[in-house]
């Protein structure tokens, strides 16, 4: 009610609810024309997303909720879904189910119907069910559940119009809650508890009473917390006796009995409505054979490392030739801009701003677009195929031995793209200690913003081995994250590691369209960032390189030269004692790409290119030291902001900024000093 009031009164509010990886976000994109990221793994959506659509004369607000297996929320993203469905009363709840895994998905469906939600059931991925030659009696399924049922394939846009039409037609109707017969023992206590809670007017208005009694018997801690504030001690004692009587009569906990009865109802429902062909078993066994190799306890991790190594080899084998073309373009652009400005008698100050500051600085970052896009393309293929979920599974054993929850792999993997959504994705972790550890080590995952730094330095100093060098940095980031997680688990967040349960999605052949869209959406953010934040920072750096007035541009006597010179002793033991690299690292905290942009400005690269400038000012060892420092040191301001939001603590935000810098400095120091002794 609270949220619905924020929408225009005549708008229809549709909530998309379903299990993780059931295709909700694909459906959301189909309905609203949005391009929210879709992944073939659980936990992609961790916060509520909203969009609109117009159907005939109706304006519809569509709300995509985080995936949840039930209305008994355990993690923060599940709480978001549960609260919206329970307290904000959408006009229609479209329950997206993965039809290839109907039994598990229908558990949430039953809970929605027992709650009294006005629901449409969308049998998503129905095309895959038909390929298996399975048949579902839609009319019978609809009749038994008492709700409309629509066949859909969100990824192909099939059934979407019918789904919208059905949802709009039933919007706002009163839906009689589904009542499952839980047997005499349970039904008696459901009735007794209902008679107690219905005496409280607030509970009577807020909840469906039978559903509330069931949630009490399931001992849902969020519901119990709400009820305890509204009932007397005597009433609470009566409820406690009801639960004890069930356990005494049956010898089992009440929530276990309820879950068993629901699954019994689902099994009977499937028995009546689904017909499977014999070929299904053959296809399942083929999928199992693939999993038998890629998730094998001995082969799983080597296969994962080989997959990631291949990603980097492909990225550089195909991307490097294209970098030359982009460099030539920016060199041409710089010459053209300089000639045009001089032709109209523009001041040297303006010429320097345009050519040295903007084209030189932003261009230094944008030349790596081919590598960035290729990296995102490869990751999209792995993700859409369903392999990355297997990678999380095989990493669980290694990670849990160091104190990291296996489910942490998903946020860490997302961190390879950008640490900000990686930090946000920790909401899928139920245990607070697991979540804090994952947040604090997420920035060690090498995000795409660091890639321009690696590409330029590896390309100059390690020609022919760029992929191997960059692969070593990614592995180093993972190892540091694992070691730090172990330390945090041992000293700051003690406690047992929670069991890891992850649904492995179906293997799918990535579609060309979907893969290109995923690559573009991620790459577009990189370009957008170059045109906004990085643009602003390189202009600032250019200004600091030009002031005070009269000083030689980008000299040691400029403001940026003085800042770099003042702090350079701190980095000298790492082989980075020149003021240019110090200034680049300091401003790189604003955004990691700025490290390259800053070097492009302070070296005033012009037509000679940044590669030539750094070849004259670094060695292979100091270059690797700088890459390690860039990988590990203080997260960018956007990531620090995400850490502040997710931990709600300045203490942990400041701690994260400082401890990562210390770790980075120590490791870069060891590498440089040992390297200096050996070479």
């Amino acid at each position: 009610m609270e949220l619905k009031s924020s929408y225009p009164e005549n708008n229809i509010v549709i909530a998309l609810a379903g299990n993780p990886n059931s295709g909700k976000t694909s459906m959301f994109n189909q309905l609203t024309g949005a391009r929210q990221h879709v992944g073939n793994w659980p936990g992609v959506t961790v916060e509520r997303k909203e969009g609109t659509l117009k159907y005939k004369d109706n304006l519809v607000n569509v709300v995509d909720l985080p995936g949840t297996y039930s209305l008994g929320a355990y993690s923060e993203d599940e709480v978001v879904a549960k609260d919206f469905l329970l307290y904000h009363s959408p006009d229609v709840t479209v329950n997206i189910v993965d039809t290839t895994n109907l039994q598990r998905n229908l558990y949430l469906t039953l809970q929605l119907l027992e709650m009294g939600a006005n629901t449409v059931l969308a049998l998503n991925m129905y095309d895959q069910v038909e390929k298996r030659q399975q048949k579902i009696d839609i009319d019978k399924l609809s009749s038994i559940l008492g709700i409309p049922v629509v066949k859909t394939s969100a990824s192909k846009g099939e059934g979407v119009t019918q789904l919208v039409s059905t949802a709009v037609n039933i919007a706002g109707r009163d839906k009689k809650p589904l009542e499952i017969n839980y047997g005499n023992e349970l039904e008696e206590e459901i009735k007794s508890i209902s008679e107690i809670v219905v005496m409280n007017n607030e509970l009577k208005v807020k909840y469906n009473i039978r559903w509330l009694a069931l949630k009490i018997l399931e001992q849902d801690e969020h519901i119990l917390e709400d009820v305890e504030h509204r009932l007397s001690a005597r009433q609470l004692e009566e409820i406690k006796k009801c639960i004890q009587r069930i356990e005494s009569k049956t010898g089992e906990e009440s929530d276990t009995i309820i879950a068993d009865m629901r699954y019994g109802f689902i099994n009977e429902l499937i028995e009546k409505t689904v017909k499977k062909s014999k070929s299904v078993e053959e296809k399942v066994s083929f999928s199992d054979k693939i999993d038998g190799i890629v998730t094998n306890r001995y082969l799983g991790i080597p296969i994962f490392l080989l997959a990631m190594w291949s990603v980097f080899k492909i990225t550089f084998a195909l991307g490097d030739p294209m970098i030359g073309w982009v460099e030539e373009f920016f060199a041409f652009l710089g010459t053209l801009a300089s000639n045009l400005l001089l032709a109209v008698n523009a001041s040297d100050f303006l010429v320097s701003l345009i050519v040295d500051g903007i084209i030189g600085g932003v261009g230094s970052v944008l030349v790596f677009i081919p590598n960035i896009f290729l990296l995102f393309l490869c990751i999209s293929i792995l993700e859409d195929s369903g392999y990355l979920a297997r990678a999380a599974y095989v990493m669980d054993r290694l990670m849990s031995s160091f104190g990291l929850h296996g489910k942490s792999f998903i946020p860490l993997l997302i961190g390879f793209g950008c640490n900000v959504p990686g930090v946000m994705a920790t909401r899928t972790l139920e245990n607070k200690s697991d979540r804090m550890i994952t947040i604090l080590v997420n920035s060690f995952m090498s995000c795409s913003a660091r890639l321009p730094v690696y590409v330029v330095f590896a390309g100059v100093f390690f020609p022919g081995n760029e992929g191997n060098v960059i692969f070593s940095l990614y592995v180093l980031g993972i190892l540091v994250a694992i070691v730090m997680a172990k330390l945090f688990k041992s000293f700051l967040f003690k406690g047992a590691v929670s069991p890891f349960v992850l649904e492995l999605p179906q293997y799918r052949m990535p579609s060309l369209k979907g893969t290109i869209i995923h690559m573009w959406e991620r790459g577009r953010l990189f370009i957008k960032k170059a045109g906004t934040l990085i643009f602003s920072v390189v202009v600032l750096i250019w200004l600091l390189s030009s002031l005070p007035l009269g000083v030689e541009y980008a000299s040691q006597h400029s403001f940026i030269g003085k800042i770099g010179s003042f702090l350079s002793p701190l980095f000298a033991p790492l082989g980075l004692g020149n003021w240019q690299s110090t200034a680049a690292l300091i401003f790189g905290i604003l955004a990691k790409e700025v490290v390259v942009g800053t070097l492009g400005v302070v070296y005033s690269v012009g037509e000679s290119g940044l590669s030539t400038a750094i070849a004259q000012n670094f060695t292979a060892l100091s270059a690797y030291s700088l890459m390690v420092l860039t990988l590990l040191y203080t997260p960018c301001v956007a990531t620090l902001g995400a850490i502040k939001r997710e931990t709600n603590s300045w203490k942990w935000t400041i701690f994260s900024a400082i401890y990562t810098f210390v770790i980075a400095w120590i490791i870069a120091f060891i590498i440089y000093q040992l390297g200096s002794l050996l070479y």
Side-chain angles (χ1 to χ4, degrees), residues 483-657:
V483 171
M484 290 310 303
K486 178 67 176 177
L487 294 175
F488 287 142
K489 193 70 178 178
S490 301
F491 298 105
L492 291 181
F493 303 101
K494 296 180 180 178
V497 177
S498 305
F500 177 42
V501 179
L502 176 69
E503 178 194 351
L504 295 181
Q506 295 258 331
Y507 284 110
R508 295 176 195 157
M509 180 63 72
S511 69
L512 179 63
K513 180 183 175 183
T515 303
I516 296 294
I517 288 176
H518 293 167
M519 177 191 71
W520 168 248
E521 286 303 312
R522 286 166 162 159
R524 184 177 63 85
L525 294 177
F526 179 80
I527 296 174
K528 182 180 177 183
K529 198 173 177 184
T532 52
L533 176 62
I534 296 171
F535 174 85
S536 304
V537 174
V538 296
V539 170
L540 171 65
I541 292 167
W542 171 84
L543 196 61
L544 293 173
S545 302
S546 304
L547 297 175
L549 291 175
V551 73
E552 182 184 353
Y553 174 73
S555 69
Q556 195 167 3
H557 302 293
S558 64
F559 283 153
I560 196 167
K562 291 180 179 178
I563 294 171
S565 299
F566 176 73
L567 294 171
S568 60
L570 179 64
F571 297 95
L574 317 180
L576 306 170
N578 62 70
W579 69 264
Q580 291 93 340
S581 58
T582 300
L585 288 165
I586 296 301
F587 284 96
I589 295 175
L590 297 175
K592 299 299 182 185
E593 303 95 326
V594 170
V595 172
V596 170
T598 304
L599 291 174
V601 174
V602 297
Y603 281 127
S604 187
V605 291
E607 296 181 15
S608 59
L610 182 58
S611 298
T612 305
I614 66 169
Q616 297 168 349
N617 291 278
F618 291 83
T619 65
L621 191 56
S622 64
Y624 195 76
S625 173
L626 182 135
M627 286 189 281
V628 169
L629 204 61
T630 304
L631 164 69
L632 302 174
Y633 84 135
T634 305
C636 68
V637 290
T639 303
L640 289 173
I643 293 172
K644 169 63 176 64
R645 283 196 304 275
E646 297 303 316
T647 62
N648 195 29
S649 164
W650 279 113
K651 180 185 76 174
W652 289 115
T653 307
I654 295 169
F655 173 79
S656 183

Side-chain angles (χ1 to χ4, degrees), residues 376 411 413-423 442 446-449 529 639:
F376 288 148
L413 200 60
I414 292 173
F416 282 133
C418 177
N419 295 135
V420 173
V423 170
N442 194 284
S446 189
C447 67
S448 59
K529 198 173 177 184
T639 303

Side-chain angles (χ1 to χ4, degrees), residues 29 39 75 106 150 158 201 210 223 270 303 330 356 368 391 442 459 461 464 501 527 549 554 618 638 664:
N29 290 344
S75 59
L106 284 175
V150 180
E158 294 174 357
N201 286 330
R210 179 180 168 86
I223 294 295
I270 290 175
I303 289 174
F330 278 104
D356 299 326
F368 304 106
N442 194 284
F461 293 102
V501 179
I527 296 174
L549 291 175
F618 291 83

Side-chain angles (χ1 to χ4, degrees), residues 8 28 69 129 220 261 668:
F28 178 78
Y69 293 105
V129 171
D220 182 309
M261 295 299 286

